[in-house]
Amino acid sequence: MLIKNRPSWEISENQATPEQAFLNRRQFLGKGGIALGGSALFLSGAAGGLSTMDANAAQSDPTLDLYPANKNASYSLDRELTPEDVNSTYNNFYEFGSHKQISSAAQALETRPWTITLDGMVEKEQVLDVDTLIRNMQLEERLYRHRCVEAWSMTIPWTGFSFAALVAYARPLSGAKYIRMETFMDPDMASGQRQTWNPWPYVEGLTMQEATNELAFLVTGAYGKPAAKQFGAPLRLAVPWKYGFKSIKSIVKFTFTDERPKSFWESIQGAEYGFWANVNPQVDHPRWSQATERVLHTGARVPTLLFNGYAEEVAHLYKGLEGEILYR
Ligand code: MTE
């Protein structure tokens, strides 16, 4: 891999993860708990200035009235949630820099007006205002794991709607086999996109079966409010059984196609980052082990689970595909 193009997961983890008192899940789950958890973090946050920016951004979001959304109890976790100030100050968003501390730079992202294009193999191509789309969907909160290919993990209370609902809304033609997703392209706003050696815009793809699996989730918010910019506002993907790079941020286009899309990282280093990228502790990255992961807010190293703990929901998707490189 060219040094210029190397993803941060090649860089040794020399930035210490702040040791935070973990936020008891009940603070989030209890009635009114989101507000309590949020303000507690706001007061105690090491990144106080950032929290203020996040709070301002969330306050001016045109969909603010939709939060907090109802919790979907089917998606709960056996792990503590990652505190918001940890999660929102340790991000991968290469459009704003190739390191983890991009949260301030990401505030340059202008999330309104924002349109979402549904095109390709659909009955009728559409360009939608993001707020119209969000208001047409049923928002809910789900607690999800997130396992980065770099072998760290977090747990997040996402708000959003099922990808299957978007697919139904788009009315794809029967020949559509994949969905290609694309992030915005604006090098004036996103300094990382001035790195012309990278194949911008960021692209990802899923099969139709994956996108319509119950777990595939389109995220509009986190921690009980509209998503902070560094999370990939106003619309990002969460596919928790896959390595984190599949969960594309700040999406502007969904293209239904019969050709397998080539993703951003696959274009940069296809031998290491493939189309499927399903989590499997027994299949190492070519240059490091995937057997365990570092829990971001505690620093504890825990075993990684097949499909990141979601095998029951998704293993069937890969029956008959054993010849494919499913785990990187
Ligand atoms: N989407 C875009 N557009 N740009 C990116 O750099 N990074 C990916 C993914 N989605 C990325 C992206 C990677 S490598 C990871 S691990 C997750 O976003 C990180 O999400 P988080 O910052 O919310 O933890």
Side-chain angles (χ1 to χ4, degrees):
M1 178 182 284
L2 290 171
I3 286 292
K4 273 198 281 191
N5 287 345
R6 73 181 186 186
S8 70
W9 47 79
E10 277 190 52
I11 299 164
S12 66
E13 294 284 347
N14 56 0
Q15 302 122 323
T17 302
E19 197 59 49
Q20 304 283 342
F22 67 70
L23 198 56
N24 188 308
R25 197 169 128 199
R26 282 196 188 168
Q27 280 179 273
F28 282 93
L29 296 179
K31 202 164 164 40
I34 288 173
L36 172 65
S39 57
L41 283 170
F42 184 78
L43 290 174
S44 68
L50 177 75
S51 297
T52 307
M53 273 191 288
D54 289 350
N56 291 342
Q59 287 307 321
S60 62
D61 190 288
T63 59
L64 186 63
D65 58 298
L66 303 177
Y67 296 84
N70 288 336
K71 296 169 205 317
N72 184 334
S74 306
Y75 303 96
S76 51
L77 291 172
D78 56 359
R79 293 183 183 181
E80 301 298 338
L81 286 175
T82 305
E84 182 181 4
D85 61 345
V86 174
N87 202 344
S88 59
T89 53
Y90 189 93
N91 303 97
N92 277 330
F93 202 169
Y94 279 74
E95 285 80 347
F96 295 99
S98 52
H99 52 85
K100 300 288 184 283
Q101 281 71 42
I102 55 76
S103 52
S104 293
Q107 303 315 308
L109 175 63
E110 286 169 25
T111 55
R112 297 295 187 289
W114 193 277
T115 58
I116 305 287
T117 299
L118 306 175
D119 68 4
M121 300 176 73
V122 288
E123 277 181 27
K124 187 170 177 285
E125 299 194 335
Q126 306 182 59
V127 180
L128 304 162
D129 170 65
V130 73
D131 298 316
T132 309
L133 174 68
I134 293 171
R135 287 186 185 282
N136 267 285
M137 297 290 156
Q138 188 64 49
L139 296 193
E140 62 183 37
E141 184 181 85
R142 299 183 180 188
L143 310 186
Y144 271 6
R145 298 157 180 258
H146 176 95
R147 169 57 158 86
C148 181
V149 74
E150 299 165 318
W152 53 263
S153 66
M154 347 192 232
T155 42
I156 312 117
W158 292 129
T159 300
F161 55 90
S162 77
F163 203 149
L166 181 82
V167 172
Y169 192 89
R171 297 197 307 271
L173 302 179
S174 58
K177 295 197 178 85
Y178 302 95
I179 304 176
R180 177 186 184 278
M181 290 154 280
E182 199 175 289
T183 296
F184 70 87
M185 181 66 192
D186 187 343
D188 290 337
M189 185 171 72
S191 58
Q193 290 185 332
R194 290 176 219 149
Q195 297 175 335
T196 50
W197 55 87
N198 277 331
W200 306 109
Y202 200 99
V203 166
E204 261 305 339
L206 294 175
T207 65
M208 289 288 283
Q209 287 75 19
E210 290 176 323
T212 52
N213 180 271
E214 56 160 317
L215 274 181
F217 199 50
L218 288 167
V219 169
T220 60
Y223 296 94
K225 55 183 186 260
K229 296 183 179 189
Q230 59 270 33
F231 288 144
L235 191 70
R236 75 170 278 172
L237 177 66
V239 276
W241 72 98
K242 292 178 177 283
Y243 290 117
F245 67 88
K246 294 291 295 182
S247 290
I248 179 173
K249 297 180 170 183
S250 302
I251 303 169
V252 293
K253 186 152 73 167
F254 296 83
T255 303
F256 293 76
T257 170
D258 55 4
E259 276 177 40
R260 185 188 290 187
K262 192 162 190 178
S263 75
F264 179 80
W265 288 116
E266 199 180 358
S267 300
I268 291 173
Q269 184 49 288
E272 301 191 350
Y273 311 107
F275 173 77
W276 299 100
N278 295 308
V279 175
N280 187 335
Q282 295 186 330
V283 180
D284 289 340
H285 182 277
R287 286 174 291 117
W288 59 84
S289 165
Q290 295 290 25
T292 62
E293 65 206 49
R294 181 173 57 87
V295 178
L296 207 55
H297 70 285
T298 65
R301 194 154 276 284
V302 301
T304 287
L305 304 173
L306 182 62
F307 294 112
N308 199 22
Y310 296 101
E312 206 174 301
E313 289 87 351
V314 299
H316 68 275
L317 295 173
Y318 306 101
K319 293 265 154 57
L321 292 174
E322 290 78 8
E324 295 276 335
I325 299 169
L326 291 173
Y327 303 108
R328 66 156 174 73

